Amino acid sequence: MQPMIEEIRNVLRDHSGLGSAVDGLADHADLYSAGMTSHASVNVMLGLENQFDIEFPDHLLKRSSFESMAAIRGAIESLAVDLPAT
Amino acid sequence: MSMVELDTFLDDVRAVARDVAAPAAVAVDAEARFPHEAIDALRECGALGAFVPASHGGAGLPLEVIGQACFELARGCSAVGMVFAMHQIQVASLVGFGVGHAFFDAYLRDLVSEQRLIASVTSEVGVGGDLRRTIAPLSQVDGAMHLEKQAPTVSYGVHADDLLITARRSAEADEADQVLELARSDQSTLEQTSSWDPLGMRGTCSPGFKLIAEIAPDQVVPVAFAEIAPRSMVPCSHLFWGHVWLGIANEAFERAAGFVRGQARSRPGWTPPTAQPLSQLASTLQAMRATLAAATAEYQAMLLEGASTDAATTFAYAIRINSVKVTMSERAAEVCFGALRITGMAGYKNDTPFSIGRQLRDSLSAALMIGNERILATNATLLLVQKST
């Protein structure tokens, strides 16, 4: 699975509370600094779990996993790598 | 200032609690005044620098010993315990995130040698009690950093030597993009904007202020507040406050227990009906102690040399430490209320050896300091994705 940044951006547009401001963000831009609240980040996680049909394990449920679109892609890719082993 | 040693520190603190804080507690409460005598006595025994590492002239005492000191002081006077706790929360942030940077290395040495007291300015009008947002921005003018902030609650602000303040990083930054900076009292002014006549914790002297500060750029802690809050400020607050609330509850329990023993002595062979509710309070207190001891040990392990506070940034830990706060604050008020029911009129009156009024009023602040409703709402949200706690 190679989640695309654009798919992540779509989830963020709907759930991060940043709206269309995510369109102008670079892959590594800090979403929290851009105004995403902790509460909204949970909605983003739920949206991502739904979009990619995954469940984030507890060790990924921390601020840094969701601080940028690149970090989110890393988190999802780490799941794809983990999956065959489980 | 005498040298602080681990084996004598708690004895010194107990002596301050018993001989200085407790005798003044009624007056501090009645007059809603700062407990100068106890804070000065703590300065005398070097307690304000107890958490500063030895590399910076401090005693480098473990977190659990600082917590124990909060407990001991609160038994004598809730406000003294809370002022000490709040100061140590600020010290912990600077020790965790300022060390290695010239300004803060020098500052921590000064804190120890001059026994400087730090107050915090994290509250702000307009953010609805959200620690993690600030409207007031830092602005750079001619190389200096300028800040104006409307704070609805600043505990012992005018009695502190220095202020640790949250601010928006800049006028262009989002409200969630916060920094923490230290302003010495000669670099700041506090204009009181509201009165201070609260139900309890009256000696913390926590009215609202308009703060104006002018500092140098290197007085801004070089790590984002978004990192400092989950790794240090939130856990230290809940753990140190928890020790204060346990101390208040313990004092109420001891007064009730003394009352019950007096009843029992008056008729040997008869178990007074107050003994059973007292036994229920004993089990509540024991649960509080166990909760706090486990949480303190967990966080202490993260702080040990070579360890990391990364684990504190997980949702699982946020839920646990938030739960500690809710448990300790709710149970403390329960114990104080239970002690009042046991002591009856003797506890209700303000001038008996069994008076519970002050402890009960003080304990009621616990649920409001970062409101439990807000904390439970946060946990409710986190539990939507968290799989285990």
Side-chain angles (χ1 to χ4, degrees):
Chain A
M1 185 169 53
Q2 285 295 316
M4 299 299 295
I5 286 289
E6 289 315 310
E7 279 183 274
I8 296 170
R9 197 189 301 273
N10 287 339
V11 173
L12 285 169
R13 196 181 295 113
D14 292 341
H15 300 294
S16 68
L18 302 177
S20 55
V22 299
D23 294 342
L25 290 178
D27 294 5
H28 290 273
D30 189 318
L31 297 169
Y32 297 103
S33 295
M36 182 173 72
T37 64
S38 301
H39 187 278
S41 74
V42 171
N43 293 335
V44 168
M45 292 168 207
L46 291 168
L48 291 166
E49 289 188 339
N50 192 42
Q51 172 72 26
F52 294 100
D53 194 22
I54 51 174
E55 275 209 326
F56 291 111
D58 289 346
H59 73 267
L60 288 177
L61 295 181
K62 55 186 179 186
R63 185 181 173 85
S64 56
S65 303
F66 299 89
E67 67 190 3
S68 67
M69 287 185 279
I72 292 170
R73 180 178 58 193
I76 296 172
E77 285 176 349
S78 78
L79 281 183
V81 171
D82 287 349
L83 283 176
T86 56
Chain B
M1 187 203 77
S2 58
M3 192 64 192
V4 178
E5 301 284 350
L6 178 54
D7 34 340
T8 57
F9 172 71
L10 283 176
D11 289 340
D12 290 346
V13 167
R14 281 189 200 100
V16 170
R18 184 187 62 233
D19 302 335
V20 187
V26 170
V28 163
D29 176 59
E31 298 162 25
R33 70 158 174 87
F34 186 70
H36 292 283
E37 56 279 84
I39 301 302
D40 286 347
L42 288 169
R43 284 193 168 102
E44 287 292 311
C45 54
L48 298 192
F51 197 60
V52 176
S55 58
H56 291 65
L61 299 187
L63 182 97
E64 57 194 307
V65 177
I66 303 296
Q68 185 70 21
C70 295
F71 167 79
E72 299 289 353
L73 291 168
R75 292 173 68 187
C77 174
S78 316
V80 173
M82 188 51 80
V83 170
F84 182 77
M86 289 179 153
H87 166 78
Q88 298 297 353
I89 294 160
Q90 314 313 312
V91 173
S93 288
L94 296 182
V95 169
F97 297 95
V99 165
H101 301 272
F103 173 81
F104 291 101
D105 284 337
Y107 174 76
L108 286 170
R109 290 178 185 285
D110 290 349
L111 186 154
V112 174
S113 63
E114 300 166 17
Q115 288 293 294
R116 301 180 72 87
L117 179 68
I118 314 176
S120 96
V121 189
T122 51
S123 70
E124 188 178 32
V125 176
V127 296
D130 188 351
L131 174 72
R132 302 289 289 276
R133 285 195 298 136
T134 305
I135 300 164
L138 275 182
S139 51
Q140 195 150 7
V141 184
D142 298 332
M145 310 301 284
H146 181 81
L147 174 72
E148 286 187 38
K149 186 174 184 183
Q150 293 282 353
T153 311
V154 182
S155 291
Y156 60 95
V158 293
H159 304 284
D161 299 301
D162 306 298
L163 302 172
L164 200 57
I165 311 156
T166 47
R168 190 148 58 101
R169 184 179 297 279
S170 69
E172 294 74 40
D174 186 82
E175 290 175 4
D177 188 5
Q178 296 163 290
V179 289
L180 195 59
E181 64 278 347
L182 188 104
R184 293 177 185 256
S185 51
D186 60 3
Q187 296 175 310
S188 60
T189 59
L190 287 171
E191 181 192 324
Q192 189 168 335
T193 51
S194 61
S195 61
W196 179 246
D197 184 13
L199 184 62
M201 282 292 183
R202 295 167 58 83
T204 62
C205 298
S206 314
F209 290 96
K210 178 184 180 185
L211 164 79
I212 299 178
E214 194 94 34
I215 58 170
D218 63 355
Q219 291 177 249
V220 180
V221 180
V223 175
F225 185 64
E227 292 294 323
I228 299 172
R231 290 171 187 268
S232 179
M233 191 174 280
V234 171
C236 287
S237 296
H238 294 344
L239 294 171
F240 291 160
W241 292 350
H243 280 88
V244 169
W245 301 329
L246 182 61
I248 297 169
N250 198 83
E251 178 65 19
F253 176 83
E254 286 190 353
R255 290 179 182 213
F259 181 83
V260 173
R261 287 196 305 272
Q263 287 185 318
R265 274 196 297 269
S266 70
R267 282 175 62 186
W270 166 73
T271 301
T274 50
Q276 186 162 329
L278 184 72
S279 72
Q280 286 175 345
L281 295 192
S283 73
T284 304
L285 261 188
Q286 188 179 330
M288 290 174 71
R289 277 191 218 103
T291 296
L292 198 52
T296 303
E298 181 181 21
Y299 186 65
Q300 174 77 51
M302 290 185 215
L303 287 183
L304 284 179
E305 206 173 342
S308 156
T309 53
D310 283 354
T313 67
T314 61
F315 282 17
Y317 185 73
I319 292 168
R320 281 202 298 281
I321 196 70
N322 283 345
S323 298
V324 168
K325 193 274 170 177
V326 172
T327 297
M328 296 305 294
S329 56
E330 301 284 354
R331 295 297 93 78
E334 268 177 39
V335 169
C336 292
F337 185 59
L340 177 66
R341 297 292 288 267
I342 288 168
T343 52
M345 280 309 293
Y348 195 68
K349 290 160 77 172
N350 282 326
D351 54 356
T352 81
F354 309 109
S355 301
I356 304 293
R358 179 162 52 84
Q359 283 75 26
L360 178 61
R361 289 186 287 104
D362 290 342
S363 74
L364 293 175
S365 69
L368 314 180
M369 295 178 62
I370 307 187
N372 283 0
E373 286 70 21
R374 171 185 292 278
I375 289 180
L376 288 170
T378 298
N379 275 6
T381 303
L382 297 178
L383 284 165
L384 298 178
V385 286
Q386 177 67 26
K387 280 81 192 174
S388 66
T389 60

